[in-house]
Each structure stands twice: as C-alpha cells, then as structure tokens.
Amino acid sequence: MHKYAMNSAPDFMPVERLRAIQNEKFIKVFRRTYENVEWYRNLLAKHKVDPNDIRSIADISKLPFIVKTDLRDTYPDGMRAAPMEKIVRFHASSGTTGKPIVVPYAQEDLDVWSECVARCLTMFGLDETDVLQVGYGYGLFTGGLGLHDGGQRRGCAIIPAGGGNTTRHLMLIKDLKATAIACTPSYFLHIIDQAQKTGYDWKETKLRVGIFGAEPWTDGMRQFIEQETGIVAHDIYGLTEISGPGVGGDCSHHAGIHIFEDHFYPEIIDPDTLQPLPDGETGELVFTTLDKVGMPVIRYRTRDITRLIPERCACGRTIRRIGRISHRSDDMMIVRGVNVFPSQIESVLTSIDPGLINYQIYLDSNESGLATIEVKLEGTPEMYAAFAEDASRREGLARLVTSKLRDTIGIGFKTTIVDQNAIPRSEGKMKRIVDNRKKD
Ligand code: ADP
Ligand code: ZN
C-alpha cells in the first residue's frame, strides 16, 4: 500500500467509540481554548458560565455560541489559541462585506484538514492511481490548497490548474488524463458550456469523478452534469472557520453529507430559540472543532440550514450525515413581509421540470417602493432546442413557474427564461441573489 494511502476506518468505527473520542477531545479543546483565548474567557464570564461545570460533551449545551461577527470583531487574530511559532499558514473566508474572517492554522490543523479531504476522496472512489485537477482558486480561499493537500495526501497526482482559463482546463483534462476534477458546480457548468461550443468530446477523456462544493447546488444540476459528461458528481462541504472543504462529503449513495465527526462535532439548533434540536429536525448547523490548535471554535454557528439524518447510511459509515445544504439562514429574503428561501424556489423548479438547472434571483423595488422579485431561469441545451422548434413552450413554461411560485410561496414573481448561458458564470462562488433594492 502507498505510504499515504488513506485508511477510512475512522468512518466506520463503532458509535460508542466515536462518542468516547468526541468526549475526550471536547474536554481538551474546551480547556485549551479557555486557557489561551482571553476573548473566550470573557465570553464565558459574560454568560456566567463556570468552566468547572463543563465536564463532558453532554455539558456543551451550557456553553454560549460563537457567531460570524465575533470572528470579524476579533480580526485579525483575537481568536488565536496558539503562539505564533506554532502557526504555519493563514486562510480567510471570501467575506463579501467588510473585513474577512482570518483563520490561523498550526501544522496539526493542516494535517487533520488534509486527512479529512483524503477521507472524502476515498469516499468518492479515488486512490493513488487517480489524477486530480484542482479548479478551485488558490490563495486565501481554502478551496484550492485544501483539495491540493488532501489529494496529494491521498496519493493522487495533482494538476494545480486553479480557477479560470477554461480552455486550458479542457486541454489539461484530456492531455494529462485527469480522472477527477474539483471546482465549484457553477464553474463546472461553465466548463461544460465551453466544451459544447468547441465540440469537445467527453468520451475522449478519462474523467469519471467531479468534486463540487463551496456553494449550494441542486439535484437538477447533478443530473445534468452526469448526463452531459458521463462523470459521477460528488458533494464536498466545508467552511473556512472550521477548516475548509472536507468537513464532510457524500458517499456513493448520494444521500446526504457524511461529517467527519471525530474531528468536527455537529449540532443542530433552532436559530430563534437557540435550543438544540434532535436528529432529524431542520435548523442551523453548529460545529465544535475537536482538534483545532490554531483557532479552535466551540459551538460556532455556521448559518447553514440543514438537519442531522438519524438513520445509518447504507454504506455502513457510522459517522452521521447532514442533509444537502440548500441555503444559509442569511439567504432568507423578506419580500413584502413574506419569508422567501432560495430552496423553496428551487424545489418548485425541480418539481416542474428538472431541466431547469440554473437560476438567479433579482430583488428590486418599483416606483412606489414596493419590493419586486424576479427569477431568471436557465435550462438544459435540450430545452433550448425544444424552444427553437416551438417558441410558445418557452412562454408556457415561464407562466407555469410563475403560477406555481405564487401558489407555493404566496407572493407574485416575475419569471424570465433567459437565453442559454445568460446567467453570469463565475470562476468562484456564484451569486444566487442579486439585491438591487434601495436601502434607507
Ligand atoms: P464564505 O462564508 O465567505 O462564503 P467559505 O468559503 O468558508 O466562506 O464558505 C463556506 C460556506 O460555503 C458554507 O458555510 C456553506 O454556506 C457554503 N458551502 C460550502 N460547501 C457547500 C456545499 N457542498 N453545498 C452547499 N453549500 C456549501
Ligand atoms: Zn454513506
């Protein structure tokens, strides 16, 4: 066996043992954070929590949460729990507003991170014989280096292509015989478009696995990608604050995302009452990093909305799964007093026609200041071929979507089926909601 061959045994360990490991690690990380981070000591004091009352992981619910703004407020390194001599790298979240969230990593953190990415790759069926093309951006963003280090740890041959330069991506896939590609799903749609335009034949490549994450994507997109290119599309989930991509991934059953619970302890809470919810119920995902040295977080609110799936997966892994992440709590739009989530729009689209694979939501206000919402839709090439034969189908479909959205969500939408490739493609994460409303 290759010396970096990844053992997936931790994914299958008996649940009692997993819980014991979590308990043991939790106490240590809690102590370490309390002792080394003044900000955390103050947080506990503010919430009147006596650290001596935290004796096992069952006591976790006594602890306050850490939120995104806490990490921004302590910029650049107020949450660091290890001396600078231990820090070997920084990453930062893309952060659309203001200062980014900066995360310092110790060598131990990079080791755990690459181990988890390697465990994901094992789950996706990759081994030492694979050639992995990394199409995530390299830099402060965790996508590029995360897949790079993890892929190397798994023993794959890495093509560090990075984001952008689609023509070169297509060339490298063919010439270097890439068997797997990792990038954002929206960027892969762009690669597919480019391939179509240039008469690229996927059958002439060795590509068989796609590793997509960093942004929500739909089952419609998965089907389209798989049909169009003949690869199997896997979901990889993660966030910078916890480590980066590879906090979890979906196995060959594609029935949710397995979380590497021996390193990242998940909880689901009700985002309003902040009470923990039992497995199976939908709420906000909260993580405690069980091994982090550089910047541990205890009960960090991700704002990602999902549930912990109570049933054991058919693959036999004992680590739990979360449902696919369809939206973040801060994606909620309030339009004329109604709460609207992108995931609601998405399920209407897939129920009408799974060929509707991409969409973008535009919020604006009319002359009288009333909020308006428009959904721009894009379909598969087959759909456009059908429109070319019979233009009325395009309008008919738009009308159907409009009425179903109104029935399901309770407000009027404008629906436009835009031309093929009219929704802007990004090399990184795509912007699902464009808010042009006047702010007062
Ligand atoms: P930022 O918060 O600035 O976007 P990150 O790059 O750390 O910075 O992004 C992490 C977030 O990206 C997650 O909290 C989640 O909302 C989203 N995300 C990551 N992977 C996935 C995935 N596979 N499916 C859906 N959303 C994802
Ligand atoms: Zn599984």
Side-chain angles (χ1 to χ4, degrees):
M1 209 197 281
H2 190 282
K3 70 174 166 165
Y4 291 120
M6 211 51 230
N7 186 347
S8 59
D11 297 5
F12 295 92
M13 75 173 104
V15 176
E16 309 71 58
R17 192 168 141 61
L18 177 59
R19 300 285 167 253
I21 290 176
Q22 287 173 327
N23 189 48
E24 202 178 295
K25 286 185 175 182
F26 167 73
I27 293 300
K28 285 196 187 136
V29 77
F30 171 72
R31 286 267 143 216
R32 199 161 62 239
T33 311
Y34 185 79
E35 278 156 24
N36 297 332
V37 184
E38 188 189 358
W39 181 89
Y40 196 64
R41 285 197 294 277
N42 293 338
L43 180 74
L44 292 204
K46 197 170 109 201
H47 286 86
K48 302 194 171 49
V49 178
D50 180 348
N52 297 314
D53 287 345
I54 308 302
R55 293 193 203 94
S56 84
I57 203 160
D59 297 320
I60 198 168
S61 56
K62 296 178 185 161
L63 293 171
F65 297 97
I66 298 177
V67 295
K68 245 175 224 283
T69 47
D70 293 333
L71 302 190
R72 291 222 163 90
D73 295 348
T74 52
Y75 175 91
D77 72 346
M79 290 284 282
R80 177 158 54 79
M84 266 315 287
E85 302 87 274
K86 294 269 307 169
I87 303 302
V88 296
R89 198 189 294 166
F90 289 104
H91 279 286
S93 82
S94 42
T96 41
T97 49
K99 295 261 201 269
I101 288 168
V102 173
V103 179
Y105 294 69
Q107 185 58 50
E108 292 90 330
D109 302 329
L110 296 184
D111 291 344
V112 167
W113 182 14
S114 61
E115 173 207 314
C116 290
V117 173
R119 278 162 72 180
C120 270
L121 300 183
T122 302
M123 198 149 63
F124 304 158
L126 301 194
D127 62 21
E128 300 80 350
T129 59
D130 280 289
V131 179
L132 170 62
Q133 185 154 318
V134 179
Y136 285 113
Y138 280 69
L140 282 172
F141 174 53
T142 50
L145 284 165
L147 266 297
H148 182 104
D149 288 350
Q152 206 161 299
R153 172 108 175 225
R154 185 65 191 86
C156 302
I158 306 296
I159 308 172
N165 204 338
T166 311
T167 311
R168 190 178 63 180
H169 263 289
L170 286 166
M171 179 189 80
L172 293 172
I173 291 174
K174 211 173 252 177
D175 295 347
L176 298 187
K177 302 188 173 53
T179 56
I181 185 162
C183 61
T184 57
S186 55
Y187 186 54
F188 197 66
L189 288 182
H190 182 57
I191 295 183
I192 292 179
D193 291 340
Q194 178 85 8
Q196 260 168 6
K197 283 198 199 113
T198 54
Y200 189 85
D201 186 358
W202 291 99
K203 290 199 199 74
E204 285 172 13
T205 74
K206 295 263 182 279
L207 203 67
R208 58 181 181 83
V209 176
I211 302 167
F212 305 121
E215 64 185 8
W217 52 303
T218 64
D219 274 330
M221 274 162 93
R222 183 201 294 278
Q223 277 171 24
F224 172 70
I225 289 171
E226 294 188 342
Q227 275 163 16
E228 207 62 25
T229 62
I231 67 173
V232 176
H234 280 277
D235 202 351
I236 188 164
Y237 169 79
L239 61 165
T240 315
E241 299 89 313
I242 304 305
S243 80
V247 170
D250 68 347
C251 69
S252 57
H253 294 272
H254 304 295
I257 296 166
H258 285 284
I259 296 294
F260 298 115
E261 280 196 77
D262 47 328
H263 295 298
F264 315 110
Y265 183 74
E267 293 174 87
I268 298 286
I269 61 159
D270 179 323
D272 298 321
T273 65
L274 303 184
Q275 291 309 305
L277 292 174
D279 284 9
E281 285 187 29
T282 299
E284 181 176 346
L285 180 60
V286 169
F287 277 116
T288 296
T289 57
L290 294 174
D291 298 275
K292 269 293 201 67
V293 174
M295 195 192 88
V297 285
I298 311 237
R299 301 199 97 196
Y300 179 68
R301 290 180 61 180
T302 64
R303 304 201 194 172
D304 290 329
I305 303 293
T306 184
R307 66 192 186 106
L308 276 160
I309 300 174
E311 298 84 26
R312 178 78 55 85
C313 183
C315 71
R317 285 183 169 77
T318 48
I319 50 175
R320 278 174 295 176
R321 288 167 294 163
I322 53 170
R324 205 125 176 249
I325 310 274
S326 58
H327 64 273
R328 299 188 189 193
S329 61
D330 42 0
D331 274 349
M332 188 181 82
M333 300 162 279
I334 303 179
V335 184
R336 303 201 286 279
V338 176
N339 297 350
V340 185
F341 284 105
S343 57
Q344 292 173 299
I345 296 177
E346 212 169 287
S347 49
V348 167
L349 300 182
T350 22
S351 74
I352 293 177
D353 190 334
L356 291 167
I357 50 169
N358 207 358
Y359 68 96
Q360 207 170 24
I361 302 163
Y362 282 76
L363 298 171
D364 213 330
S365 30
N366 62 17
E367 304 81 60
S368 30
L370 200 65
T372 59
I373 181 163
E374 176 177 10
V375 186
K376 294 191 178 175
L377 303 170
E378 223 183 276
T380 55
E382 291 72 38
M383 201 177 250
Y384 289 98
F387 294 158
E389 273 173 26
D390 178 1
S392 68
R393 291 172 72 165
R394 188 171 186 152
E395 261 170 51
L397 184 58
R399 262 201 308 276
L400 185 62
V401 173
T402 308
S403 79
K404 193 127 184 227
L405 282 174
R406 192 189 320 105
D407 291 351
T408 319
I409 300 171
I411 50 167
F413 281 76
K414 183 171 179 220
T415 310
T416 316
I417 301 183
V418 296
D419 289 341
Q420 204 171 349
N421 306 331
I423 293 181
R425 303 291 195 256
S426 69
E427 285 160 13
K429 297 182 188 230
M430 95 158 265
K431 200 166 180 208
R432 190 67 74 192
I433 303 169
V434 181
D435 193 346
N436 294 324
R437 285 180 293 191
K438 288 177 210 74
K439 310 252 168 18
D440 12 62

